[in-house]
Amino acid sequence: SHSAHPHVTPARRTMRPEFSLADRLPPRGATSDVLLDLFLGHVRAIGLELYPAQEEAILELFTGNHVILSTPTGSGKSLVALAMHFLAMANGKRSFYTAPIKALVSEKFFALCNDFGPENVGMLTGDAAVNRDAPVICCTAEVLANMALRDGKNAPADYVVMDEFHYYADRQRGVAWQVPLLELSRATFLLMSATIGPTEPFEEALLR
């Protein structure tokens, strides 16, 4: 597991990407170094420069480690999540993005459709399902928790981004953030929150 605590200001996109991230996917079997170069090329193409914390987190993910990203709002956590989705797709794996609110899930769905093409992105919110077999899925935390309870370590979730992870401590809904960590033992996790507090309990859960 890994955590980063930078003090950063938001990066802004200065130009449109000339092509989507899906266009940068190499033939299956490319090394992590090649995939990292391709992703960093995309970052440059959209006019961004990575902050040290983003770069460190992305390197950890491409090395196969879990990452706990507890950085301020607006510090580019979504770019780290994008790197994880790209890594998963390039390796022929499925990735999930989870958030507590349907509106946030929907917003991320449209953003990722823009990044990877709508044919590669799906959405599951409990009362709506779009392209449910896509390699990238956006869903509420409860949807992923139910899948984890049903299928355990065999759930088709290889990489998992859990946004607003401080909900882990929520008395009513926290179980939906706790269950995937316990059940999805094969998955690589990116846990993101601006207000997560001490990360030791999560590090222990990830390294069990």
Side-chain angles (χ1 to χ4, degrees), residues 96-100 105 137-141 144 160-164 177:
F96 279 72
Y97 167 88
T98 75
V105 171
I137 294 289
C138 300
C139 65
T140 46
L144 182 66
V160 176
V161 179
M162 301 196 86
D163 207 349
E164 307 294 342
W177 279 258

Side-chain angles (χ1 to χ4, degrees), residues 129-152:
V130 179
N131 200 12
R132 61 166 64 243
D133 297 319
V136 180
I137 294 289
C138 300
C139 65
T140 46
E142 281 80 4
V143 168
L144 182 66
N146 288 337
M147 188 187 300
L149 285 171
R150 188 180 66 235
D151 301 330

Side-chain angles (χ1 to χ4, degrees), residues 2-82:
H2 186 79
S3 59
H5 301 269
H7 300 283
V8 291
T9 51
R12 286 178 177 77
R13 297 189 175 198
T14 56
M15 51 184 150
R16 300 285 304 158
E18 290 170 30
F19 36 75
S20 79
L21 262 173
D23 293 332
R24 287 186 182 259
L25 290 170
R28 195 68 44 83
T31 66
S32 292
D33 286 348
V34 168
L35 297 179
L36 183 60
D37 283 345
L38 288 166
F39 183 77
L40 295 179
H42 176 77
V43 171
R44 285 192 297 273
I46 59 176
L48 290 185
E49 201 174 318
L50 292 178
Y51 299 115
Q54 289 173 310
E55 198 166 343
E56 191 182 354
I58 289 169
L59 283 172
E60 291 290 337
L61 289 175
F62 278 69
T63 308
N65 294 324
H66 303 294
V67 172
I68 301 170
L69 197 58
S70 49
T71 60
T73 302
S75 60
K77 287 189 285 291
S78 60
L79 194 61
V80 179
L82 192 62

Side-chain angles (χ1 to χ4, degrees), residues 79-102:
L79 194 61
V80 179
L82 192 62
M84 185 185 240
H85 293 305
F86 178 74
L87 177 65
M89 269 191 82
N91 287 318
K93 306 286 189 184
R94 284 190 100 198
S95 59
F96 279 72
Y97 167 88
T98 75
I101 312 159
K102 289 176 186 175

